[in-house]
Amino acid sequence: MNDNVHEIFSKISIIAIMIAVSYFVLQIITKLIIAHIQKSDFWPLLSDYIYKEKVFDKIVQTRKRSWLCCIDAFRGSSSLGLKAKSKNPTESSDDSATASFEKAVEISKKIFDALDTDQGGFISLEEMVPIFGGEEPARKAFKIFDKDENGQVSFEEMIITVIEIYKDRETLFVTLYDRANVADILANMLRFFYWLVIILVSISIFDREIIKQALLPLGTAVLALAFVFGNSLRTIWEAILLIFVVKPFDVGDRVTLEGYPTLKVHRMNLFTTEFYATDGRQFIVPNSTLMTQSITQYKRSRNFCASFQIQVSQNTMNQEKFQQLRNGLLNWLKNDSAKWQWNKFQCYISDFEESHTMKIEIWAELKGVNWNDPKQFREPRTRMFFAIQELCKEYGITYTSLPQYLYNKKMD
């Protein structure tokens, strides 16, 4: 009797030690996997955001303490999900977003007025050197604010920078929140299979014959469950692959899907992803569908390139006029307020049609502006369109269609 009790106690001890050690290892492996995924996804964005915050704090700390209440209110905006009453960082309202924008403008004005020591209407690098204690750190921080790289920071650029920090923080919180929810589900799935294996191993420790006898009914039950829940398990697996392996987009990215208009990613859940179109419509697309679709990614695209194709009459175009048009556009690009890569500018004749017209292709790239933010490229592109139109009028470059002849035939 004592031997049986001792044997049972020994087996229970072995099972307890096995569970303790294996569960500890499972937790470590799960944390390492999730941490590795999060680091590879968010470290570049997070490091860039942290540096901007440090620059921001450095400027604030050297100025009036009366700013702090204003800045703390901006950072504690409910739209960021930082208030205790809101556990979901995606729960925001239009009023809070408007209030945050107004607060951003207020902070920008305070910072701009304090840094513009000579009251010249612009902030120069020399005015930032005393704050950062040297030219090199000041130059690095200055690049954050100098959007057009002209060596001066305007009030508009200051507002854009402060709003960018706000948006980066908001995107970071929302993305981490969504990924954390999916990571919790992934961890729960691993725990489920872990406990299933632990139960089978524990039973085999007490009596292996029970496991042998249970293999057939257990296999039958697994097949039945696979038949019932197989599609759901496949959907979950595809969602995990999409979010953690394929990673075609993040929250805030603009994308185009087959059969949909241009969309902006709003939420990423385990089974679905929520998008908003530019007209305000919401689209909820299953992640299993996204796994099989071609996705056009705008945020990860290269710099936006404005392209135009104009058709002109051959009798109004010669080599001299073509050079005048090309040089006129090049000068316009150099003098425009947008950051055009004028050294990559292209203007060439691409095709002849019939014997009457020719096609001219015009390409110009915007530095540091990609497809993810239409506000940054639509206005410069519109200005360039009108510049092309004015130059064509100035040099007499026009297009006229061939005359259409009508033949009247008398019918008997």
Side-chain angles (χ1 to χ4, degrees):
M1 182 68 180
N2 290 332
D3 293 339
N4 291 335
V5 173
H6 180 71
E7 183 181 355
I8 293 173
F9 181 77
S10 298
K11 291 180 178 180
I12 292 175
S13 299
I14 292 172
I15 293 172
I17 294 172
M18 178 187 65
I19 292 175
V21 174
S22 59
Y23 189 78
F24 178 73
V25 172
L26 175 68
Q27 290 291 93
I28 292 177
I29 293 175
T30 304
K31 295 292 184 183
L32 288 176
I33 292 174
I34 295 175
H36 175 73
I37 294 172
Q38 301 287 42
K39 181 180 178 180
S40 62
D41 286 348
F42 301 113
W43 180 246
L45 176 63
L46 184 61
S47 59
D48 182 62
Y49 164 70
I50 290 173
Y51 177 72
K52 288 180 180 179
E53 281 281 5
K54 286 182 178 179
V55 171
F56 193 76
D57 289 338
K58 185 72 173 176
I59 296 173
V60 171
Q61 290 170 7
T62 58
R63 298 300 165 185
K64 297 179 181 180
R65 291 290 177 180
S66 59
W67 294 10
L68 295 178
C69 60
C70 174
I71 293 166
D72 288 341
F74 174 66
R75 287 178 171 170
S77 170
S78 59
S79 62
L80 297 179
L82 299 179
K83 289 187 177 180
K85 66 180 182 180
S86 178
K87 295 183 179 180
N88 186 344
T90 62
E91 294 176 358
S92 60
S93 63
D94 294 337
D95 293 338
S96 63
T98 303
S100 297
F101 176 78
E102 293 175 353
K103 194 65 67 175
V105 175
E106 182 181 348
I107 293 171
S108 301
K109 181 138 186 6
K110 288 179 179 292
I111 296 176
F112 188 84
D113 291 341
L115 295 179
D116 187 18
T117 54
D118 61 0
Q119 303 299 315
F122 293 93
I123 300 171
S124 62
L125 176 62
E126 291 73 18
E127 291 172 316
M128 294 186 69
V129 170
I131 296 176
F132 294 92
E135 183 174 346
E136 190 59 32
R139 188 182 302 278
K140 188 177 179 181
F142 189 78
K143 289 181 179 179
I144 297 176
F145 301 96
D146 188 13
K147 301 299 181 183
D148 57 5
E149 299 180 358
N150 65 347
Q152 295 178 325
V153 178
S154 64
F155 179 59
E156 290 75 15
E157 289 175 318
M158 181 64 69
I159 295 175
I160 292 172
T161 303
V162 174
I163 292 177
E164 277 182 357
I165 295 174
Y166 163 78
K167 287 183 176 180
D168 288 346
R169 186 190 301 114
E170 186 177 46
T171 300
L172 201 60
F173 270 80
V174 173
T175 306
L176 287 172
Y177 179 84
D178 290 342
R179 292 291 181 91
N181 287 340
V182 177
D184 288 341
I185 296 174
L186 176 61
N188 291 332
M189 291 176 59
L190 292 176
R191 292 191 193 101
F192 171 78
F193 289 109
Y194 164 79
W195 284 114
L196 182 62
V197 172
I198 287 294
I199 291 171
L200 295 176
V201 172
S202 300
I203 294 174
S204 67
I205 290 175
F206 279 96
D207 192 346
R208 294 183 180 179
E209 293 299 324
I210 296 177
I211 295 297
K212 291 179 180 179
Q213 295 174 5
L215 282 178
L216 182 59
L218 184 63
T220 305
V222 170
L223 287 175
L225 290 173
F227 178 77
V228 175
F229 300 105
N231 192 41
S232 298
L233 292 174
R234 179 185 175 185
T235 301
I236 293 174
W237 176 247
E238 289 179 345
I240 292 173
L241 288 178
L242 179 77
I243 297 174
F244 291 108
V245 180
V246 181
K247 297 177 286 189
F249 44 70
D250 294 310
V251 173
D253 290 2
R254 289 179 70 245
V255 296
T256 297
L257 310 175
E258 295 178 10
Y260 294 89
T262 300
L263 304 171
K264 189 171 184 179
V265 183
H266 177 64
R267 290 290 307 275
M268 296 174 63
N269 304 308
L270 180 62
F271 294 102
T272 61
T273 299
E274 299 175 17
F275 301 90
Y276 278 101
T278 53
D279 56 8
R281 288 179 295 168
Q282 185 187 48
F283 294 85
I284 302 176
V285 184
N287 288 335
S288 57
T289 302
L290 296 174
M291 277 291 291
T292 60
Q293 279 210 353
S294 299
I295 301 175
T296 303
Q297 236 286 8
Y298 293 107
K299 188 172 185 178
R300 300 176 192 173
S301 301
R302 297 183 178 179
N303 289 342
F304 174 82
C305 185
S307 60
F308 300 89
Q309 184 184 83
I310 59 176
Q311 189 168 276
V312 300
S313 299
Q314 290 189 27
N315 58 1
T316 64
M317 172 61 72
N318 53 40
Q319 186 174 0
E320 181 182 357
K321 287 187 177 182
F322 177 78
Q323 289 298 329
Q324 288 177 338
L325 175 65
R326 188 182 186 283
N327 295 334
L329 283 174
L330 188 60
N331 291 330
W332 181 87
L333 293 175
K334 292 179 179 180
N335 297 322
D336 189 59
S337 58
K339 295 183 291 183
W340 295 101
Q341 293 279 76
W342 51 267
N343 56 330
K344 296 182 179 181
F345 168 70
Q346 297 183 48
C347 180
Y348 58 92
I349 298 173
S350 62
D351 194 14
F352 291 88
E353 286 190 359
E354 301 171 350
S355 59
H356 177 65
T357 62
M358 63 175 61
K359 289 182 179 179
I360 299 177
E361 298 276 353
I362 300 171
W363 294 74
E365 183 179 318
L366 278 168
K367 183 179 180 181
V369 177
N370 68 4
W371 288 78
N372 197 57
D373 192 357
K375 294 180 182 178
Q376 298 293 324
F377 63 76
R378 283 176 176 168
E379 187 175 342
R381 188 180 186 278
T382 302
R383 292 200 303 268
M384 186 176 179
F385 170 79
F386 286 115
I388 294 172
Q389 187 182 56
E390 290 298 323
L391 287 171
C392 286
K393 288 181 180 179
E394 180 180 348
Y395 301 132
I397 301 172
T398 60
Y399 170 78
T400 54
S401 59
L402 288 171
Q404 302 294 321
Y405 297 100
L406 297 177
Y407 296 93
N408 295 324
K409 184 177 181 181
K410 186 176 180 181
M411 303 294 294
D412 295 333

